[in-house]
Amino acid sequence: MRRTLIKSITAVGAAALLTLATACSNEREGSSGSDSAGGKGFSKGSLIGVALPAKTSENWVLAGDLFTNGLKDAGFKADVQYAGASTTVADQQAQISSMVTKGAKVIVIGATDASQLATQVKQAKDEGATVIAYDRLITNTPDVDYYIAFDNFKVGELQGQALIDGMKAKKPKGPWTIELFSGSPDDNNSKVFFEGAMKVLKPLIDKGDIVVGSGQKDIKQTATQGWKAENAQQRMDSLLTSAYSGKKTLDGVLSPNDTLARAILTSVKGAGKPVPVVTGQDSEVESVKSIMAGVQYSTINKDTRKLVAETVNMIKSLQKGDKPTVNDTKSYNNGDKVVPAYLLPPVIVTKKNAAEAYANDPKLAPLTK
Ligand code: BGC
């Protein structure tokens, strides 16, 4: 029908129609998989809930402050909550329910346990709120509208590649001996980071160029419950005792984030072993210092300021009744549906590019001088 119409109108009219058609198809793309979100809009000054997990890394601490200020500056009322350190799941469930009861129009959730929020997000949807999964996906529920995060699979790939590069720089010829660590099993990201890293590492492991000293290659064996430093340190202690006695050395450790990287390095130091190449993530202050001192090898820059700003933009679109922009409609199947996602690019940081990577970060730039 569109063709017949175009034939019968002038060139100017055709151009206008084309613009309209493009706008419509863009809108369709933006809305795919999220029929329930957007559309009606809501009044400015509405309440927005932000439920964050426990403060297991600096990025979460920063996110809370940025949401409080960013939402206020955008004219919303903000209710920003963290799950407590021990009763994380129950805390977060109660916080989300309370946000729904208070009439929040959008609820942004950094899940403490991906699979334990189905009841609360259903409650949110039933009351007409839009649910945005922030940084961590919420699984096994149709009631999550959008996902916003840095590209987690890419994070893993960058970590795997950094591990290889770092080991090659120290010892040009393999085989290299490594250990693998992954994050908390209740965080959907842990699996994605690990899979990204293994995509890069597995071919070398299969060839025998990389050897996992302990033989522990399964994600279950490598997990770090609660993303807790003490759990990573304990596991590293016991790996060193069981698989690295005498002069046996360790060339590298895949660590999924900075908190765990520092715990692993503490353990290796305590055992009197040479410092291996250790990866990380989050650009935490102590890790950036360690990288500049030549101890930790790498981290990942996921600028929390950008992630929060983009989330606030999503909320502004929803307020106006527009569909928020997404750029990935295939990667994040949560077990129930593919959640439309807006993904930002992560950046690998080593001593070499730290000054450049943090040039616009007033907190980190001075550390690289
Ligand atoms: C985040 C990481 C963080 C980890 C522990 C993950 O979900 O993506 O940046 O290091 O949680 O807090």
Side-chain angles (χ1 to χ4, degrees), residues 56-57 59-60 135-136 187 189 193 227 257 281-282 302:
T56 43
S57 42
N59 55 327
W60 295 114
D135 188 276
R136 299 174 172 179
D187 176 357
N189 285 352
F193 296 149
W227 286 100
N257 82 356
Q281 165 172 213
D282 295 334
K302 302 195 303 185

Side-chain angles (χ1 to χ4, degrees), residues 12-42:
V12 175
L17 190 67
L18 201 66
T19 314
L20 187 68
T22 315
C24 288
S25 78
N26 283 348
E27 197 193 336
R28 262 201 309 280
E29 191 177 301
S31 73
S32 56
S34 64
D35 314 331
S36 48
K40 288 198 300 285
F42 48 85

Side-chain angles (χ1 to χ4, degrees), residues 172-193:
K173 276 221 150 79
W176 299 278
T177 305
I178 67 163
E179 289 301 334
L180 304 167
F181 281 72
S182 57
S184 193
D186 48 17
D187 176 357
N188 188 68
N189 285 352
S190 301
K191 179 178 80 159
V192 187
F193 296 149

